[in-house]
Amino acid sequence: MMTKQVRYEALVKALHGDLYRYAYWLCHEKQVAEDLVQETFLRAWRALDSLKDEKAAKSWLITILRRENARRFERKRFDMSEYEEATITDTKSVTTEQELENHWLREKISQLPDEYSEPLVLQVIGGFSGEDIATMLDLNKNTVMTRLFRARNQLKEALEAEPVKRGMTNG
Amino acid sequence: MDDLQFRRAIYAEPNNKDADVLAAQQEDASKKQFAKDIALLDERIKQAMQVPVPDDLCDKLILRQTLASHQVQKRKKRVHLALAASVAVIGGLMLNFMQFTSAHNNLGDYALAHVYHEKGSFNNNATSQVTLTALNQKMATFDGNFSEPIGKLLFADYCRFDAMKSLHLVFQGKTSPVTVFIVPKNEQLTFSDKFNDQALFGSSLEFQHSNIIVVADKNESLSQWKQHISDTVSWSI
């Protein structure tokens, strides 16, 4: 029989990475993302008995995290510009070409409006279907699909628009 | 499926496995190429989104939870202790209440209950007899005195009358023993002048510090017994 402690540790080990990444793309700050994840798991521990279906764990945790994030905005209402935050993130780790591109793309993702980036993160990192995302974000499926389309479309356009600059940076 | 529809479907979900989307790819090489390009783009997006997770995050999460639940457990232990203590106190009070409060709240009820309880102990035709002197020695406890014998006294001893030290006298009656209690006054039991049930009836005499209760079967004349007692008893204070 699994004790609550064992269930919790399994949950942490399996999902903390995805949850942290999701939190990061939600708030664009490493420290805040970490705090959010900590707060989320603490709440999850308290409510762990209410989680009946382990398969639903990820979306359950994401729901808690979104609520935590919303609370953060109730507490403090200042908002730094997204572009700055994105540049703060990790300039130091730019070493290989792959990482350079990741870095560049990260910036572009950060510049997407939140309503586009959030479903995209849920789809790419969370592996959720359009319907799952619609339920989690309380939107209808068509809206979610449209936002996903626009998000990718914008990223593709951005990639196509700046080949020269990227070439220079890479070289 | 037209081109715009196809593009939207692929953009929204690069690994779209819908039948018509797959069919469209089969029919048109450029669509297949497009789907491939977007899948590649998606792979790059995925790579970019995989921001490094702090190495110690997992441990931190477990540590924080362990500390938090330890606090909760400590609080719970205290609550349990308080609960146990409360239960013990209430249990004690209940026990006290049950042991030391009377089940009966008037003299008559108690007297009848007492008589029934000891019914088998006394034989109306017993030969033993208690002398007046012995009786008066016992009566001294209640500062009382009988000037002459009231009847044939079969038994006289102290007893517990609703937890009060009382004198229990049994006289020979016409058909069954007549019981007389001398009981100190007590606020717990209300004085009842006359009482009865199917077989027995009783009556009480009220004196300054004590009550005298007579219980007999219905063949006896209670008033005669009462008269006799009040004529012969005297109280020293």
Side-chain angles (χ1 to χ4, degrees):
Chain A
M1 193 195 137
M2 255 173 127
T3 64
K4 193 180 174 187
Q5 182 72 35
V6 176
R7 281 177 77 201
Y8 175 80
E9 282 178 22
L11 208 63
V12 168
K13 279 181 188 137
L15 299 175
H16 80 280
D18 280 355
L19 212 63
Y20 171 81
R21 289 189 181 113
Y22 175 73
Y24 175 82
W25 290 112
L26 209 60
C27 67
H28 309 286
E29 278 176 73
K30 284 179 177 174
Q31 194 48 53
V32 177
E34 208 176 312
D35 289 350
L36 275 177
V37 173
Q38 294 222 4
E39 205 51 47
T40 302
F41 271 105
L42 210 59
R43 275 179 196 276
W45 163 260
R46 285 187 212 127
L48 200 58
D49 292 333
S50 71
L51 178 69
K52 299 287 178 237
D53 182 6
E54 304 285 343
K55 282 182 204 134
K58 198 194 253 182
S59 64
W60 181 67
L61 286 170
I62 283 176
T63 309
I64 301 177
L65 192 133
R66 292 188 79 234
R67 226 180 291 137
E68 275 310 310
N69 190 44
R71 261 192 214 111
R72 187 170 66 97
F73 282 105
E74 280 165 24
R75 285 198 293 267
K76 51 165 198 170
R77 282 201 164 274
F78 57 86
D79 207 340
M80 289 189 281
S81 100
E82 278 166 17
Y83 184 75
E84 275 174 9
E85 284 169 37
T87 34
I88 291 166
T89 52
D90 58 12
T91 37
K92 284 175 206 154
S93 64
V94 184
T95 47
T96 68
E97 197 176 331
Q98 176 64 48
E99 279 172 23
L100 199 70
E101 193 197 271
N102 282 349
H103 177 65
W104 183 86
L105 201 51
R106 255 170 225 166
E107 238 168 62
K108 295 294 163 212
I109 297 169
S110 298
Q111 286 167 35
L112 287 176
D114 284 348
E115 70 227 54
Y116 293 168
S117 65
E118 199 175 356
L120 188 65
V121 173
L122 286 173
Q123 193 186 44
V124 174
I125 290 186
F128 291 109
S129 73
E131 268 150 40
D132 293 339
I133 298 169
T135 320
M136 266 185 266
L137 302 186
D138 206 16
L139 295 168
N140 77 49
K141 198 195 161 189
N142 284 339
T143 313
V144 171
M145 295 324 263
T146 306
R147 288 182 182 180
L148 285 168
F149 156 71
R150 290 202 181 134
R152 281 207 181 79
N153 199 24
Q154 284 190 14
L155 288 177
K156 192 164 190 321
E157 277 169 14
L159 277 168
E160 281 160 2
E162 298 189 46
V164 185
K165 192 194 161 201
R166 277 173 61 226
M168 273 163 53
T169 336
N170 287 348
Chain B
M1 182 175 258
D2 68 38
D3 199 48
L4 186 65
Q5 255 184 329
F6 177 77
R7 277 166 183 264
R8 281 186 73 101
I10 291 293
Y11 265 130
E13 205 176 346
N15 55 351
N16 198 323
K17 294 282 182 280
D18 286 354
D20 45 354
V21 173
L22 291 177
Q25 286 187 50
Q26 286 303 317
E27 287 164 19
D28 189 336
S30 69
K31 279 180 183 165
K32 196 166 187 176
Q33 186 55 46
F34 177 78
K36 241 183 184 172
D37 288 351
I38 296 301
L40 210 67
L41 168 72
D42 212 47
E43 196 47 51
R44 285 161 72 181
I45 294 172
K46 196 170 182 175
Q47 286 279 334
M49 278 186 178
Q50 303 280 346
V51 289
V53 178
D55 293 336
D56 54 351
L57 184 60
C58 184
D59 297 332
K60 268 191 202 164
L61 290 170
I62 291 170
L63 174 71
R64 220 182 136 187
Q65 174 275 322
T66 313
L67 291 178
S69 68
H70 181 66
Q71 287 295 323
V72 172
Q73 265 174 8
K74 254 167 59 181
R75 233 175 299 143
K76 266 191 192 158
K77 262 184 209 159
R78 249 175 282 155
V79 170
H80 285 162
L81 189 71
L83 268 177
S86 309
V87 168
V89 166
I90 288 170
L93 285 176
M94 290 271 285
L95 200 70
N96 238 0
F97 184 76
M98 289 195 296
Q99 262 190 336
F100 299 109
T101 52
S102 46
H104 307 279
N105 52 16
N106 72 65
L107 277 180
D109 288 350
Y110 191 87
L112 284 174
H114 197 134
V115 171
Y116 278 118
H117 183 67
E118 297 183 346
K119 205 176 177 185
S121 320
F122 306 110
N123 181 352
N124 199 28
N125 304 313
T127 46
S128 61
Q129 194 168 350
V130 182
T131 61
L132 183 65
T133 331
L135 170 62
N136 279 333
Q137 266 176 7
K138 293 196 161 79
M139 275 299 281
T141 314
F142 303 93
D143 302 322
N145 190 59
F146 286 102
S147 53
E148 54 181 275
I150 314 163
K152 189 186 174 190
L153 183 59
L154 303 173
F155 168 88
D157 213 340
Y158 299 114
C159 71
R160 291 266 145 208
F161 190 95
D162 195 26
M164 291 177 290
K165 190 182 179 188
S166 320
L167 194 56
H168 188 166
L169 311 177
V170 180
F171 292 96
Q172 189 173 48
K174 283 176 186 154
T175 52
S176 66
V178 176
T179 311
V180 175
F181 296 106
I182 292 111
V183 186
K185 275 199 182 163
N186 182 303
E187 287 127 16
Q188 272 183 31
L189 294 176
T190 46
F191 183 81
S192 47
D193 182 31
K194 282 187 166 56
F195 49 89
N196 64 74
D197 65 1
Q198 285 88 348
L200 299 173
F201 66 152
S203 187
S204 314
L205 288 159
E206 193 175 11
F207 296 96
Q208 204 177 352
H209 299 292
S210 309
N211 294 317
I212 294 183
I213 304 155
V214 186
V215 182
D217 66 28
K218 298 199 169 166
N219 298 322
E220 300 286 341
S221 160
L222 271 187
S223 54
Q224 218 172 43
W225 278 95
K226 275 169 75 177
Q227 191 60 47
H228 212 139
I229 290 167
S230 44
D231 286 349
T232 52
V233 77
S234 60
W235 307 94
S236 55
I237 300 169

PDB file of all heavy atoms in Angstrom, chain B residues 111-140:
ATOM      1  N   ALA B 111     -37.421   5.250  50.123  1.00  0.00           N
ATOM      2  CA  ALA B 111     -37.773   4.338  51.216  1.00  0.00           C
ATOM      3  C   ALA B 111     -38.351   3.041  50.664  1.00  0.00           C
ATOM      4  O   ALA B 111     -37.953   1.946  51.070  1.00  0.00           O
ATOM      5  CB  ALA B 111     -38.768   5.018  52.151  1.00  0.00           C
ATOM      6  N   LEU B 112     -39.260   3.167  49.699  1.00  0.00           N
ATOM      7  CA  LEU B 112     -39.852   1.968  49.098  1.00  0.00           C
ATOM      8  C   LEU B 112     -38.785   1.110  48.439  1.00  0.00           C
ATOM      9  O   LEU B 112     -38.734  -0.108  48.627  1.00  0.00           O
ATOM     10  CB  LEU B 112     -40.910   2.363  48.060  1.00  0.00           C
ATOM     11  CG  LEU B 112     -42.252   2.841  48.629  1.00  0.00           C
ATOM     12  CD1 LEU B 112     -43.150   3.351  47.505  1.00  0.00           C
ATOM     13  CD2 LEU B 112     -42.959   1.724  49.399  1.00  0.00           C
ATOM     14  N   ALA B 113     -37.894   1.760  47.683  1.00  0.00           N
ATOM     15  CA  ALA B 113     -36.836   1.034  46.985  1.00  0.00           C
ATOM     16  C   ALA B 113     -35.966   0.292  47.978  1.00  0.00           C
ATOM     17  O   ALA B 113     -35.597  -0.863  47.780  1.00  0.00           O
ATOM     18  CB  ALA B 113     -36.006   1.995  46.142  1.00  0.00           C
ATOM     19  N   HIS B 114     -35.683   0.958  49.075  1.00  0.00           N
ATOM     20  CA  HIS B 114     -34.828   0.372  50.104  1.00  0.00           C
ATOM     21  C   HIS B 114     -35.497  -0.855  50.735  1.00  0.00           C
ATOM     22  O   HIS B 114     -34.873  -1.896  50.921  1.00  0.00           O
ATOM     23  CB  HIS B 114     -34.534   1.443  51.169  1.00  0.00           C
ATOM     24  CG  HIS B 114     -33.375   1.111  52.048  1.00  0.00           C
ATOM     25  ND1 HIS B 114     -32.398   2.026  52.344  1.00  0.00           N
ATOM     26  CD2 HIS B 114     -33.031  -0.022  52.711  1.00  0.00           C
ATOM     27  CE1 HIS B 114     -31.505   1.472  53.137  1.00  0.00           C
ATOM     28  NE2 HIS B 114     -31.870   0.220  53.373  1.00  0.00           N
ATOM     29  N   VAL B 115     -36.747  -0.706  51.001  1.00  0.00           N
ATOM     30  CA  VAL B 115     -37.471  -1.814  51.627  1.00  0.00           C
ATOM     31  C   VAL B 115     -37.509  -3.015  50.687  1.00  0.00           C
ATOM     32  O   VAL B 115     -37.232  -4.142  51.085  1.00  0.00           O
ATOM     33  CB  VAL B 115     -38.903  -1.381  52.033  1.00  0.00           C
ATOM     34  CG1 VAL B 115     -39.725  -2.589  52.473  1.00  0.00           C
ATOM     35  CG2 VAL B 115     -38.827  -0.351  53.161  1.00  0.00           C
ATOM     36  N   TYR B 116     -37.815  -2.763  49.426  1.00  0.00           N
ATOM     37  CA  TYR B 116     -37.864  -3.870  48.468  1.00  0.00           C
ATOM     38  C   TYR B 116     -36.508  -4.542  48.328  1.00  0.00           C
ATOM     39  O   TYR B 116     -36.401  -5.752  48.203  1.00  0.00           O
ATOM     40  CB  TYR B 116     -38.340  -3.372  47.083  1.00  0.00           C
ATOM     41  CG  TYR B 116     -39.834  -3.263  47.016  1.00  0.00           C
ATOM     42  CD1 TYR B 116     -40.454  -2.042  46.796  1.00  0.00           C
ATOM     43  CD2 TYR B 116     -40.629  -4.395  47.196  1.00  0.00           C
ATOM     44  CE1 TYR B 116     -41.821  -1.929  46.734  1.00  0.00           C
ATOM     45  CE2 TYR B 116     -42.015  -4.297  47.148  1.00  0.00           C
ATOM     46  CZ  TYR B 116     -42.607  -3.069  46.914  1.00  0.00           C
ATOM     47  OH  TYR B 116     -43.958  -2.985  46.873  1.00  0.00           O
ATOM     48  N   HIS B 117     -35.465  -3.723  48.377  1.00  0.00           N
ATOM     49  CA  HIS B 117     -34.126  -4.258  48.219  1.00  0.00           C
ATOM     50  C   HIS B 117     -33.787  -5.269  49.316  1.00  0.00           C
ATOM     51  O   HIS B 117     -33.100  -6.253  49.079  1.00  0.00           O
ATOM     52  CB  HIS B 117     -33.124  -3.101  48.231  1.00  0.00           C
ATOM     53  CG  HIS B 117     -31.712  -3.548  48.001  1.00  0.00           C
ATOM     54  ND1 HIS B 117     -31.301  -4.064  46.796  1.00  0.00           N
ATOM     55  CD2 HIS B 117     -30.629  -3.568  48.815  1.00  0.00           C
ATOM     56  CE1 HIS B 117     -30.028  -4.382  46.875  1.00  0.00           C
ATOM     57  NE2 HIS B 117     -29.587  -4.096  48.100  1.00  0.00           N
ATOM     58  N   GLU B 118     -34.294  -5.010  50.535  1.00  0.00           N
ATOM     59  CA  GLU B 118     -33.931  -5.867  51.668  1.00  0.00           C
ATOM     60  C   GLU B 118     -35.067  -6.768  52.097  1.00  0.00           C
ATOM     61  O   GLU B 118     -35.067  -7.328  53.196  1.00  0.00           O
ATOM     62  CB  GLU B 118     -33.471  -4.977  52.832  1.00  0.00           C
ATOM     63  CG  GLU B 118     -32.225  -4.195  52.436  1.00  0.00           C
ATOM     64  CD  GLU B 118     -31.682  -3.347  53.583  1.00  0.00           C
ATOM     65  OE1 GLU B 118     -32.395  -3.161  54.583  1.00  0.00           O
ATOM     66  OE2 GLU B 118     -30.544  -2.901  53.446  1.00  0.00           O
ATOM     67  N   LYS B 119     -36.025  -6.932  51.213  1.00  0.00           N
ATOM     68  CA  LYS B 119     -37.241  -7.656  51.565  1.00  0.00           C
ATOM     69  C   LYS B 119     -36.946  -9.058  52.112  1.00  0.00           C
ATOM     70  O   LYS B 119     -37.496  -9.484  53.117  1.00  0.00           O
ATOM     71  CB  LYS B 119     -38.128  -7.770  50.325  1.00  0.00           C
ATOM     72  CG  LYS B 119     -39.580  -7.938  50.662  1.00  0.00           C
ATOM     73  CD  LYS B 119     -40.391  -7.940  49.360  1.00  0.00           C
ATOM     74  CE  LYS B 119     -41.866  -8.195  49.666  1.00  0.00           C
ATOM     75  NZ  LYS B 119     -42.636  -8.318  48.416  1.00  0.00           N
ATOM     76  N   GLY B 120     -36.054  -9.748  51.431  1.00  0.00           N
ATOM     77  CA  GLY B 120     -35.771 -11.130  51.811  1.00  0.00           C
ATOM     78  C   GLY B 120     -35.024 -11.277  53.137  1.00  0.00           C
ATOM     79  O   GLY B 120     -34.977 -12.351  53.729  1.00  0.00           O
ATOM     80  N   SER B 121     -34.427 -10.203  53.605  1.00  0.00           N
ATOM     81  CA  SER B 121     -33.535 -10.313  54.767  1.00  0.00           C
ATOM     82  C   SER B 121     -34.282 -10.454  56.086  1.00  0.00           C
ATOM     83  O   SER B 121     -33.720 -10.882  57.081  1.00  0.00           O
ATOM     84  CB  SER B 121     -32.634  -9.082  54.856  1.00  0.00           C
ATOM     85  OG  SER B 121     -32.209  -8.717  53.584  1.00  0.00           O
ATOM     86  N   PHE B 122     -35.548 -10.047  56.090  1.00  0.00           N
ATOM     87  CA  PHE B 122     -36.251 -10.041  57.379  1.00  0.00           C
ATOM     88  C   PHE B 122     -37.452 -10.966  57.377  1.00  0.00           C
ATOM     89  O   PHE B 122     -38.253 -10.991  56.459  1.00  0.00           O
ATOM     90  CB  PHE B 122     -36.702  -8.611  57.711  1.00  0.00           C
ATOM     91  CG  PHE B 122     -35.567  -7.628  57.669  1.00  0.00           C
ATOM     92  CD1 PHE B 122     -35.488  -6.676  56.673  1.00  0.00           C
ATOM     93  CD2 PHE B 122     -34.559  -7.689  58.630  1.00  0.00           C
ATOM     94  CE1 PHE B 122     -34.434  -5.783  56.633  1.00  0.00           C
ATOM     95  CE2 PHE B 122     -33.503  -6.798  58.588  1.00  0.00           C
ATOM     96  CZ  PHE B 122     -33.436  -5.844  57.587  1.00  0.00           C
ATOM     97  N   ASN B 123     -37.530 -11.716  58.475  1.00  0.00           N
ATOM     98  CA  ASN B 123     -38.632 -12.650  58.659  1.00  0.00           C
ATOM     99  C   ASN B 123     -39.528 -12.101  59.759  1.00  0.00           C
ATOM    100  O   ASN B 123     -39.083 -11.778  60.858  1.00  0.00           O
ATOM    101  CB  ASN B 123     -38.031 -14.002  59.051  1.00  0.00           C
ATOM    102  CG  ASN B 123     -39.087 -15.066  59.235  1.00  0.00           C
ATOM    103  OD1 ASN B 123     -40.289 -14.770  59.211  1.00  0.00           O
ATOM    104  ND2 ASN B 123     -38.652 -16.282  59.438  1.00  0.00           N
ATOM    105  N   ASN B 124     -40.800 -12.000  59.439  1.00  0.00           N
ATOM    106  CA  ASN B 124     -41.731 -11.409  60.401  1.00  0.00           C
ATOM    107  C   ASN B 124     -41.788 -12.195  61.714  1.00  0.00           C
ATOM    108  O   ASN B 124     -42.068 -11.656  62.768  1.00  0.00           O
ATOM    109  CB  ASN B 124     -43.122 -11.324  59.760  1.00  0.00           C
ATOM    110  CG  ASN B 124     -44.011 -10.340  60.490  1.00  0.00           C
ATOM    111  OD1 ASN B 124     -43.509  -9.385  61.095  1.00  0.00           O
ATOM    112  ND2 ASN B 124     -45.304 -10.569  60.451  1.00  0.00           N
ATOM    113  N   ASN B 125     -41.497 -13.507  61.610  1.00  0.00           N
ATOM    114  CA  ASN B 125     -41.598 -14.345  62.806  1.00  0.00           C
ATOM    115  C   ASN B 125     -40.248 -14.649  63.454  1.00  0.00           C
ATOM    116  O   ASN B 125     -40.115 -15.600  64.210  1.00  0.00           O
ATOM    117  CB  ASN B 125     -42.307 -15.653  62.461  1.00  0.00           C
ATOM    118  CG  ASN B 125     -43.672 -15.376  61.844  1.00  0.00           C
ATOM    119  OD1 ASN B 125     -44.435 -14.557  62.378  1.00  0.00           O
ATOM    120  ND2 ASN B 125     -43.965 -16.039  60.728  1.00  0.00           N
ATOM    121  N   ALA B 126     -39.250 -13.850  63.140  1.00  0.00           N
ATOM    122  CA  ALA B 126     -37.918 -14.072  63.712  1.00  0.00           C
ATOM    123  C   ALA B 126     -37.982 -13.952  65.228  1.00  0.00           C
ATOM    124  O   ALA B 126     -38.779 -13.195  65.781  1.00  0.00           O
ATOM    125  CB  ALA B 126     -36.937 -13.058  63.156  1.00  0.00           C
ATOM    126  N   THR B 127     -37.141 -14.726  65.864  1.00  0.00           N
ATOM    127  CA  THR B 127     -37.194 -14.746  67.333  1.00  0.00           C
ATOM    128  C   THR B 127     -36.301 -13.683  67.953  1.00  0.00           C
ATOM    129  O   THR B 127     -36.528 -13.250  69.068  1.00  0.00           O
ATOM    130  CB  THR B 127     -36.765 -16.121  67.855  1.00  0.00           C
ATOM    131  OG1 THR B 127     -35.582 -16.498  67.160  1.00  0.00           O
ATOM    132  CG2 THR B 127     -37.872 -17.151  67.636  1.00  0.00           C
ATOM    133  N   SER B 128     -35.278 -13.300  67.220  1.00  0.00           N
ATOM    134  CA  SER B 128     -34.339 -12.326  67.781  1.00  0.00           C
ATOM    135  C   SER B 128     -35.063 -11.025  68.082  1.00  0.00           C
ATOM    136  O   SER B 128     -36.009 -10.640  67.399  1.00  0.00           O
ATOM    137  CB  SER B 128     -33.210 -12.071  66.776  1.00  0.00           C
ATOM    138  OG  SER B 128     -33.762 -11.545  65.602  1.00  0.00           O
ATOM    139  N   GLN B 129     -34.623 -10.385  69.121  1.00  0.00           N
ATOM    140  CA  GLN B 129     -35.256  -9.123  69.473  1.00  0.00           C
ATOM    141  C   GLN B 129     -34.190  -8.146  69.951  1.00  0.00           C
ATOM    142  O   GLN B 129     -33.222  -8.518  70.594  1.00  0.00           O
ATOM    143  CB  GLN B 129     -36.290  -9.343  70.580  1.00  0.00           C
ATOM    144  CG  GLN B 129     -37.201  -8.146  70.745  1.00  0.00           C
ATOM    145  CD  GLN B 129     -38.397  -8.468  71.619  1.00  0.00           C
ATOM    146  OE1 GLN B 129     -38.659  -9.633  71.969  1.00  0.00           O
ATOM    147  NE2 GLN B 129     -39.132  -7.444  72.017  1.00  0.00           N
ATOM    148  N   VAL B 130     -34.362  -6.873  69.603  1.00  0.00           N
ATOM    149  CA  VAL B 130     -33.425  -5.843  70.032  1.00  0.00           C
ATOM    150  C   VAL B 130     -34.046  -5.110  71.213  1.00  0.00           C
ATOM    151  O   VAL B 130     -35.229  -4.759  71.183  1.00  0.00           O
ATOM    152  CB  VAL B 130     -33.133  -4.864  68.880  1.00  0.00           C
ATOM    153  CG1 VAL B 130     -32.114  -3.823  69.295  1.00  0.00           C
ATOM    154  CG2 VAL B 130     -32.650  -5.631  67.650  1.00  0.00           C
ATOM    155  N   THR B 131     -33.218  -4.900  72.220  1.00  0.00           N
ATOM    156  CA  THR B 131     -33.765  -4.253  73.425  1.00  0.00           C
ATOM    157  C   THR B 131     -33.864  -2.751  73.234  1.00  0.00           C
ATOM    158  O   THR B 131     -33.248  -2.180  72.344  1.00  0.00           O
ATOM    159  CB  THR B 131     -32.855  -4.511  74.635  1.00  0.00           C
ATOM    160  OG1 THR B 131     -31.580  -3.944  74.334  1.00  0.00           O
ATOM    161  CG2 THR B 131     -32.709  -6.001  74.913  1.00  0.00           C
ATOM    162  N   LEU B 132     -34.647  -2.133  74.058  1.00  0.00           N
ATOM    163  CA  LEU B 132     -34.838  -0.687  74.005  1.00  0.00           C
ATOM    164  C   LEU B 132     -33.527   0.044  74.249  1.00  0.00           C
ATOM    165  O   LEU B 132     -33.202   1.024  73.586  1.00  0.00           O
ATOM    166  CB  LEU B 132     -35.884  -0.255  75.050  1.00  0.00           C
ATOM    167  CG  LEU B 132     -36.249   1.228  75.055  1.00  0.00           C
ATOM    168  CD1 LEU B 132     -36.930   1.618  73.740  1.00  0.00           C
ATOM    169  CD2 LEU B 132     -37.160   1.575  76.236  1.00  0.00           C
ATOM    170  N   THR B 133     -32.715  -0.481  75.179  1.00  0.00           N
ATOM    171  CA  THR B 133     -31.431   0.135  75.496  1.00  0.00           C
ATOM    172  C   THR B 133     -30.529   0.149  74.269  1.00  0.00           C
ATOM    173  O   THR B 133     -29.925   1.169  73.933  1.00  0.00           O
ATOM    174  CB  THR B 133     -30.709  -0.655  76.627  1.00  0.00           C
ATOM    175  OG1 THR B 133     -31.700  -1.255  77.441  1.00  0.00           O
ATOM    176  CG2 THR B 133     -29.809   0.227  77.428  1.00  0.00           C
ATOM    177  N   ALA B 134     -30.465  -1.036  73.619  1.00  0.00           N
ATOM    178  CA  ALA B 134     -29.617  -1.120  72.419  1.00  0.00           C
ATOM    179  C   ALA B 134     -30.092  -0.144  71.353  1.00  0.00           C
ATOM    180  O   ALA B 134     -29.308   0.529  70.694  1.00  0.00           O
ATOM    181  CB  ALA B 134     -29.649  -2.548  71.877  1.00  0.00           C
ATOM    182  N   LEU B 135     -31.433  -0.057  71.220  1.00  0.00           N
ATOM    183  CA  LEU B 135     -31.991   0.861  70.236  1.00  0.00           C
ATOM    184  C   LEU B 135     -31.618   2.298  70.565  1.00  0.00           C
ATOM    185  O   LEU B 135     -31.171   3.053  69.695  1.00  0.00           O
ATOM    186  CB  LEU B 135     -33.518   0.697  70.199  1.00  0.00           C
ATOM    187  CG  LEU B 135     -34.281   1.754  69.399  1.00  0.00           C
ATOM    188  CD1 LEU B 135     -33.880   1.727  67.928  1.00  0.00           C
ATOM    189  CD2 LEU B 135     -35.791   1.528  69.524  1.00  0.00           C
ATOM    190  N   ASN B 136     -31.764   2.656  71.851  1.00  0.00           N
ATOM    191  CA  ASN B 136     -31.496   4.043  72.236  1.00  0.00           C
ATOM    192  C   ASN B 136     -30.021   4.420  72.111  1.00  0.00           C
ATOM    193  O   ASN B 136     -29.696   5.572  71.828  1.00  0.00           O
ATOM    194  CB  ASN B 136     -32.003   4.313  73.649  1.00  0.00           C
ATOM    195  CG  ASN B 136     -33.517   4.580  73.618  1.00  0.00           C
ATOM    196  OD1 ASN B 136     -34.038   5.050  72.605  1.00  0.00           O
ATOM    197  ND2 ASN B 136     -34.202   4.244  74.709  1.00  0.00           N
ATOM    198  N   GLN B 137     -29.159   3.396  72.277  1.00  0.00           N
ATOM    199  CA  GLN B 137     -27.717   3.648  72.044  1.00  0.00           C
ATOM    200  C   GLN B 137     -27.489   4.103  70.610  1.00  0.00           C
ATOM    201  O   GLN B 137     -26.748   5.031  70.319  1.00  0.00           O
ATOM    202  CB  GLN B 137     -26.924   2.363  72.303  1.00  0.00           C
ATOM    203  CG  GLN B 137     -26.391   2.275  73.705  1.00  0.00           C
ATOM    204  CD  GLN B 137     -25.693   0.952  73.961  1.00  0.00           C
ATOM    205  OE1 GLN B 137     -25.499   0.148  73.046  1.00  0.00           O
ATOM    206  NE2 GLN B 137     -25.323   0.734  75.213  1.00  0.00           N
ATOM    207  N   LYS B 138     -28.165   3.401  69.730  1.00  0.00           N
ATOM    208  CA  LYS B 138     -28.034   3.758  68.320  1.00  0.00           C
ATOM    209  C   LYS B 138     -28.711   5.084  68.017  1.00  0.00           C
ATOM    210  O   LYS B 138     -28.255   5.883  67.215  1.00  0.00           O
ATOM    211  CB  LYS B 138     -28.614   2.646  67.438  1.00  0.00           C
ATOM    212  CG  LYS B 138     -27.784   1.355  67.538  1.00  0.00           C
ATOM    213  CD  LYS B 138     -28.108   0.416  66.404  1.00  0.00           C
ATOM    214  CE  LYS B 138     -27.013  -0.626  66.212  1.00  0.00           C
ATOM    215  NZ  LYS B 138     -27.098  -1.730  67.203  1.00  0.00           N
ATOM    216  N   MET B 139     -29.840   5.306  68.660  1.00  0.00           N
ATOM    217  CA  MET B 139     -30.579   6.548  68.451  1.00  0.00           C
ATOM    218  C   MET B 139     -29.787   7.773  68.893  1.00  0.00           C
ATOM    219  O   MET B 139     -30.027   8.884  68.412  1.00  0.00           O
ATOM    220  CB  MET B 139     -31.912   6.513  69.222  1.00  0.00           C
ATOM    221  CG  MET B 139     -33.041   5.828  68.488  1.00  0.00           C
ATOM    222  SD  MET B 139     -33.453   6.643  66.935  1.00  0.00           S
ATOM    223  CE  MET B 139     -34.445   8.024  67.537  1.00  0.00           C
ATOM    224  N   ALA B 140     -28.846   7.545  69.810  1.00  0.00           N
ATOM    225  CA  ALA B 140     -28.054   8.665  70.318  1.00  0.00           C
ATOM    226  C   ALA B 140     -27.345   9.408  69.200  1.00  0.00           C
ATOM    227  O   ALA B 140     -27.147  10.621  69.256  1.00  0.00           O
ATOM    228  CB  ALA B 140     -27.036   8.154  71.337  1.00  0.00           C
TER     229      ALA B 140
END
